[in-house]
Amino acid sequence: MVVCGDDGLARRLAAELRDVYREHVTVVVPTTSEARSGSAHGAVGGGRFGLLGRIPAARAAVADEQAAAVGERVLEAGEPTEEVLARAGVTRAAALALVYEDDATNLRAALIARRLNPRLRLVIRLYNRKLGQHLEELLDQAAIVAGPGLDLRELDSSTTVLSDADTAAPALAATAVAGTSKIVQADGLLLRAVERTPPQRGQTADPGLCTLALLSATTSDPAGNEGSELSGDQGPQLLPDERAVAAATGRGIVALEAVSHTGAAQATPRPGPAALPFGSLFSKRLRWSLAGIVAAVAGIAVASWQTTGEHPLHAAYITLLDIFTINDPAVDEPPQRQVLQILSGFVGLLLLPVLVAAALEALGAFRTATALRRPPRRLSGQVVLLGLGKIGTRVLARLHELQIPVVCVENDPEARGLALARRLRIPVVLGDVTEEGVLETAGIHRAHALLALTSSDTTNLEAALYARSINAEVRVALRLFDDGFATAVYRTLRAAHPTALTRSRSVTHLAAPAFAGAMMGRQILGAIPVERRVLLFAAVDVAGHPQLEDRTIAESFQPGAWRVIALDTTAPEDRRPDLASSTREDDGRHPGLVWELHPGYVLRAQDRVVLAATRRGLAELLGHVAPHTTDHAGDGYR
């Protein structure tokens, strides 16, 4: 794998590929002088790459040797020219990630790399999404021309264009919904790995959708410890069979489960034609005023009917004429008739301002119906989303796909996400989140989670602290630009509120796993760490794999190597190549994965399945390595 970049994303991406996927990585970073000049504005992130921009060349060489020892090579270069890319090994690499902050630099390097290696899997960072779509088509077409023997199915993952918003948004949405980073996304469904404590004697652990792993026998805190393999513990056991699970008494398990929102609020309605809020057309005070006037008119009409002895309809008609002052004065009429006419005129005077107020309120209500929706008063269990910029808009769309109730807070009335919120009929509070009363209007005291995604680190932190003062148990996720600052904020908030869940991540930290997954190919849906090991989730076509084809679900299960966890029921011609992407609203599709599989179902050649597998197990299944007969202990992870 080759990674080219000039900021913290390159460092994060290289670490993800090296530590999680155990790939050999070559990192192309700016030269020492350029890195030093770029460090003033954060062009090269902290950590070892940041040091490369400030230490002498001799120490940089030592750092390069240390990186090579763990499967990483650092190459310093000013620009990703053809010579530099060839020296980095692009001609024989499996994938190349171009994550420079400048779109033009990434574009030039992508064109050069495609010419050097038509079979290269390209992952490109571009902020211009429309340009990215055209670039994918262009580079795929160039690969077909340069390599006539390429299979079109192979080109489904040949070029992937991503932006920070596209990659960070799913992780932020998952944090708000599931409260954990151990998340896999499959065909619009959110899956999480949950550590369950050992069951009591006579009880059985809840396996969820399936049991992914048995934790180390001495691990009391699976989320924070890594077992004690040095003390004789056998460590975690990945993908155990039912017999191993039943025999592992006193050991916790890692179960896979689908995330469903259980808040008290109803799900956000699907977008449709803008509906007029007739229930809130008039205020309560105005409705009482109208009711009083109607009662007065009815009383006068009844009195006129009783005193004159005329037909009730005629009496009501005469009363209305008096109210609207279009009847003749009752000069020669009896005193009762004259009094009723005066009372009718007085009621008519009262009716005029009420009608004006009703017209103004109706106009305001109709304008609100076509603009922004206010949060319901008794809404609870919602996610309060701060900021509707580039990332906030993507998170809002993702939460809506998951049918999670959302209330947005935005200070800029021209923000790009307001149009989406208006179309989806999602409540929005316009105001500065740092001002008192804004978060209360959004219902933070009854909210399930707070997502602070504005472009200001201080604003996000201030909003999180203020939300904690109102609702100490609310789940908080902060978007912070500086990784070191994000770590410090996370540790401080965790220490101050140990019982509440807090997540503080930089954009590069959130984006790196998505870029790494794209470099591994669209067949990889994600990875979940289990203590010191890693489980991969992949979408695999059954055809061509004798370990799966014409076998039942039970027969295809290889303990410790791979396990079929879902079946894609979508017709082959309608399948999307990337199951990790969320379901789009505009195509009218619904997730086609079936998770409750019968053990006797026979897999056919036209089927596509979702597998949970160890690294070596997936490599064996795909034919990348020779079959291995051990327990796949080589799947360790640092």
Side-chain angles (χ1 to χ4, degrees):
M1 302 289 178
V2 180
V3 178
C4 302
D6 56 0
D7 64 353
L9 179 57
R11 171 175 56 86
R12 281 287 181 184
L13 177 54
E16 186 83 10
L17 291 170
R18 184 190 67 233
D19 296 340
V20 177
Y21 294 99
R22 299 300 297 262
E23 294 289 340
H24 295 280
V25 184
T26 297
V27 189
V28 180
V29 295
T31 58
T32 303
S33 59
E34 292 178 352
R36 184 184 297 111
S37 62
S39 63
H41 55 82
V44 178
R48 185 172 58 78
F49 288 164
L51 291 176
L52 283 177
R54 298 189 292 271
I55 60 179
R59 294 185 61 188
V62 174
D64 193 2
E65 293 177 2
Q66 294 175 348
V70 294
E72 179 179 318
R73 182 168 67 99
V74 178
L75 176 66
E76 292 186 352
E79 293 287 337
T81 61
E82 181 173 351
E83 179 184 357
V84 170
L85 293 178
R87 190 150 49 100
V90 167
T91 55
R92 58 186 181 276
L96 167 66
L98 299 168
V99 293
Y100 292 97
E101 289 189 328
D102 181 37
D103 284 2
T105 302
N106 293 328
L107 180 58
R108 289 195 301 269
L111 296 175
I112 295 173
R114 175 57 74 217
R115 187 175 68 254
L116 292 176
N117 186 354
R119 296 180 177 273
L120 181 69
R121 185 180 301 117
L122 282 173
V123 179
I124 309 168
R125 175 189 188 181
L126 284 184
Y127 292 93
N128 190 331
R129 297 182 64 189
K130 181 176 292 187
L131 174 61
Q133 295 175 357
H134 295 307
L135 182 61
E136 286 184 353
E137 299 175 359
L138 173 64
L139 293 177
D140 286 348
Q141 184 64 29
I144 296 175
V145 174
L150 289 180
D151 189 352
L152 290 178
R153 291 176 298 179
E154 186 179 344
L155 293 177
D156 287 339
S157 59
S158 64
T159 306
T160 304
V161 177
L162 299 173
S163 69
D164 291 349
D166 293 327
T167 54
L172 288 167
T175 301
V177 177
T180 178
S181 59
K182 295 184 177 181
I183 290 293
V184 173
Q185 195 169 270
D187 203 20
L189 185 65
L190 209 59
L191 305 170
R192 67 178 172 185
V194 180
E195 294 92 350
R196 303 191 187 279
T197 57
Q200 301 295 329
R201 185 179 300 274
Q203 298 179 348
T204 56
D206 182 9
L209 293 175
C210 67
T211 299
L212 296 178
L214 292 172
L215 296 172
S216 302
T218 59
T219 300
S220 58
D221 182 12
N225 297 330
E226 295 182 346
S228 56
E229 297 182 35
L230 297 179
S231 62
D233 180 23
Q234 61 179 329
Q237 183 178 353
L238 303 183
L239 302 176
D241 54 17
E242 294 182 0
R243 181 180 305 175
V245 174
T249 57
R251 298 179 62 177
I253 69 170
V254 177
L256 184 69
E257 65 177 23
V259 175
S260 59
H261 187 69
T262 57
Q266 296 295 327
T268 305
R270 293 288 180 181
L276 297 178
F278 289 108
S280 59
L281 195 60
F282 304 125
S283 65
K284 185 177 181 180
R285 182 179 301 177
L286 182 59
R287 291 197 299 268
W288 277 109
S289 300
L290 290 173
I293 291 178
V294 170
V297 171
I300 294 175
V302 171
S304 176
W305 167 45
Q306 293 294 334
T307 56
T308 61
E310 297 178 349
H311 192 275
L313 292 178
H314 186 267
Y317 174 70
I318 295 299
T319 301
L320 292 176
L321 292 180
D322 292 335
I323 289 175
F324 295 120
T325 65
I326 57 177
N327 197 11
D328 294 332
V331 177
D332 299 330
E333 299 291 335
Q336 300 89 338
R337 173 74 183 93
Q338 294 176 348
V339 172
L340 290 175
Q341 189 176 56
I342 293 175
L343 292 176
S344 299
F346 180 71
V347 173
L349 291 176
L350 296 177
L351 179 62
L352 181 61
V354 174
L355 291 177
V356 173
L360 293 177
E361 285 198 5
L363 178 61
F366 274 79
R367 293 180 61 185
T368 303
T370 58
L372 296 174
R373 198 177 161 211
R374 299 286 294 177
R377 292 184 178 180
R378 297 185 179 181
L379 182 65
S380 63
Q382 77 278 15
V383 174
V384 178
L385 175 62
L386 310 183
L388 289 176
K390 183 172 60 175
I391 291 183
T393 302
R394 296 287 295 166
V395 173
L396 175 61
R398 180 62 185 138
L399 290 174
H400 180 74
E401 291 172 1
L402 295 172
Q403 299 190 19
I404 306 300
V406 186
V407 175
C408 303
V409 180
E410 175 56 53
N411 186 35
D412 183 10
E414 302 297 329
R416 67 170 67 190
L418 291 179
L420 177 64
R422 184 183 300 114
R423 180 172 64 88
L424 300 179
R425 304 294 302 138
I426 292 176
V428 177
V429 178
L430 285 177
D432 188 354
V433 71
T434 60
E435 295 180 355
E436 188 175 354
V438 175
L439 281 178
E440 287 86 346
T441 304
I444 191 63
H445 52 289
R446 293 188 301 268
H448 170 70
L450 171 72
L451 283 177
L453 307 181
T454 70
S455 58
S456 171
D457 286 3
T458 56
T459 300
N460 293 336
L461 180 57
E462 183 177 354
L465 296 176
Y466 185 61
R468 278 275 186 258
S469 66
I470 300 175
N471 185 355
E473 301 300 323
V474 68
R475 181 178 295 167
V476 172
L478 300 174
R479 169 201 174 192
L480 301 175
F481 286 87
D482 184 74
D483 196 30
F485 180 56
T487 302
V489 168
Y490 165 69
R491 291 175 177 174
T492 304
L493 290 178
R494 183 182 59 180
H497 303 275
T499 60
L501 189 143
T502 303
R503 291 290 182 266
S504 176
R505 295 291 185 265
S506 67
V507 175
T508 57
H509 184 100
L510 296 171
F515 276 86
M519 292 186 72
M520 298 301 297
R522 292 182 182 176
Q523 133 185 107
I524 302 296
L525 306 181
I528 290 180
V530 180
E531 297 183 17
R532 300 180 62 85
R533 300 182 184 177
V534 172
L535 276 177
L536 300 180
F537 293 81
V540 177
D541 291 324
V542 173
H545 297 96
Q547 304 94 329
L548 302 177
E549 191 172 352
D550 295 329
R551 293 175 179 262
T552 64
I553 297 294
E555 292 172 346
S556 66
F557 177 31
Q558 182 69 33
W562 61 77
R563 176 175 186 168
V564 176
I565 61 175
L567 175 68
D568 190 359
T569 59
T570 309
E573 61 274 9
D574 296 332
R575 290 174 185 166
R576 291 177 300 145
D578 187 6
L579 274 179
S581 63
S582 58
T583 304
R584 302 189 176 206
E585 293 288 340
D586 54 1
D587 62 7
R589 292 185 64 255
H590 299 283
L593 295 181
V594 175
W595 300 91
E596 301 291 339
L597 297 177
H598 191 279
Y601 177 81
V602 179
L603 296 173
R604 300 167 297 176
Q606 61 268 31
D607 288 337
R608 180 168 68 167
V609 296
V610 175
L611 295 172
T614 62
R615 268 187 294 263
R616 184 173 183 86
L618 183 61
E620 289 181 9
L621 183 65
L622 300 180
H624 296 167
V625 296
H628 203 273
T629 58
T630 65
D631 60 352
H632 300 267
D635 292 286
Y637 129 87
R638 289 180 297 275

